[in-house]
Amino acid sequence: MKPINRRSNAPVFWGLFGAGGMLAALFGPVLVFITGIAVPLVLILPADAMSWPRMQAFAQHWAGKGLLFVVVALFMWHAMHRILHSLHDLGVHAGTALKFACYGLALLVTMTAAWILVAVGF
Amino acid sequence: MNTPDPRRPYVRPMAGWWRRNPFFVEYMVHEATAFFVAAYALVLLVGLLRLAQGEVAWNGWQEALRSPWSVAFHGVLLAAMCYHSWTWFRIMPKTMPPLAVRGKRVAPGVITACGVAAAVVCSLVALVLAWGATR
């Protein structure tokens, strides 16, 4: 009998899915409200709440940088994992090609976000 | 090749399986919130790109976010995010390992309620922090 020495990569993607799902469940609604509704309509927060100097400083601070990276990357990993498995539920074969497409897009977004956040400076 | 099987065995059709049962329709709807989570991640990614491109680019992005279409879209995003949040915690009793407090299994409803309460607290904390940092 061949010994099983290959570990599955599934727990990694499951972990990213779970972490992103939890983050989106806890902070998704309030983030959408702040960036997409409250600031554009000047509700609760002042009109210059997301002014360039302020957001620039936020993205340059290590905490703001980390927060932005974690939100963008984990939301994407969560969504692409879920879309992959829902497509499988709809009869699309979740083979290597579809996995590369879904996880590849999440990886692309993650690396783009990382690259931008480094380019923004410290 | 490609000749029909003379036995014509019955193959249970799977197409549209989820539309036959309200439980599975709801399952597909809550799975579909992933598209909105991905859309929001992409909105934020574009914002990050605009931020790095400078003040003019950033102001253009902010202007785009003020358009009625964008606000309406974010209204839909907000509804989808809230539904994701609610369904995430509703399913949590089944997705997490059994939780016991003083030897007694915690009821599913309690886990869901704690999750929703945590989301409410997180939302309020985020709003207060944003308000405090920008006023």
Side-chain angles (χ1 to χ4, degrees), chain A residues 56-72:
Chain A
Q56 166 93 338
F58 184 69
Q60 284 181 339
H61 192 272
W62 62 268
K65 212 182 272 295
L67 218 75
L68 289 167
F69 177 72
V70 163
V71 167
V72 172

Side-chain angles (χ1 to χ4, degrees), chain A residues 18 21-22 25-27 29-32 35-36 40 45-46 50 52 54-55 59 75 78-79 82 86 89-90 116, chain B residues 17-18 27-28 30-31 33-34 37 40 48-49 51 54-55 58 65-66 74 78 84-85 88 92 122-123 131 134:
Chain A
M22 187 56 89
L26 291 174
F27 291 102
V30 73
L31 287 176
V32 171
T35 67
L45 302 172
M50 281 174 74
W52 189 75
R54 181 172 275 145
M55 292 316 288
F75 276 27
H78 162 78
R82 198 165 230 190
S86 298
D89 292 338
L90 290 175
I116 295 170
Chain B
W17 61 271
W18 58 275
Y27 169 78
M28 275 302 173
H30 84 237
E31 291 289 292
T33 60
V37 176
Y40 186 58
L48 277 183
L49 193 66
L51 185 74
E55 190 160 7
W58 174 260
L65 283 187
R66 275 190 288 270
H74 280 85
L78 179 61
H84 161 73
S85 186
W88 185 261
M92 207 163 80
C122 285
S123 301
W131 180 77
T134 58

Side-chain angles (χ1 to χ4, degrees), chain B residues 34-120:
Chain B
F35 283 101
F36 297 94
V37 176
Y40 186 58
L42 293 177
V43 167
L44 290 183
L45 187 71
V46 171
L48 277 183
L49 193 66
R50 288 296 185 229
L51 185 74
Q53 284 171 342
E55 190 160 7
V56 177
W58 174 260
N59 288 343
W61 186 65
Q62 284 287 290
E63 191 57 45
L65 283 187
R66 275 190 288 270
S67 81
W69 286 110
S70 170
V71 174
F73 176 65
H74 280 85
V76 175
L77 275 186
L78 179 61
M81 274 298 183
C82 287
Y83 194 64
H84 161 73
S85 186
W86 157 241
T87 52
W88 185 261
F89 293 122
R90 192 194 59 199
I91 300 164
M92 207 163 80
K94 293 175 192 169
T95 51
M96 66 185 277
L99 182 69
V101 174
R102 280 191 235 109
K104 280 189 79 176
R105 177 102 183 250
V106 178
V110 175
I111 294 172
T112 301
C114 286
V116 172
V120 170

Side-chain angles (χ1 to χ4, degrees), chain A:
Chain A
M1 215 174 101
K2 221 168 86 175
I4 300 165
N5 53 10
R6 247 170 59 90
R7 274 168 168 263
S8 166
N9 59 19
V12 175
F13 297 118
W14 172 256
L16 288 166
F17 161 77
M22 187 56 89
L23 194 66
L26 291 174
F27 291 102
V30 73
L31 287 176
V32 171
F33 176 73
I34 290 174
T35 67
I37 295 172
V39 171
L41 297 182
V42 199
L43 303 168
I44 305 171
L45 302 172
D48 70 336
M50 281 174 74
S51 65
W52 189 75
R54 181 172 275 145
M55 292 316 288
Q56 166 93 338
F58 184 69
Q60 284 181 339
H61 192 272
W62 62 268
K65 212 182 272 295
L67 218 75
L68 289 167
F69 177 72
V70 163
V71 167
V72 172
L74 285 185
F75 276 27
M76 206 61 195
W77 282 102
H78 162 78
M80 293 325 292
H81 178 87
R82 198 165 230 190
I83 289 169
L84 169 70
H85 286 277
S86 298
L87 285 175
H88 176 73
D89 292 338
L90 290 175
V92 181
H93 176 58
T96 313
L98 192 64
K99 278 185 187 164
F100 263 98
C102 288
Y103 294 143
L105 185 60
L107 187 65
L108 185 71
V109 167
T110 302
M111 285 167 69
T112 309
W115 171 67
I116 295 170
L117 284 168
V118 169
V120 160
F122 293 84

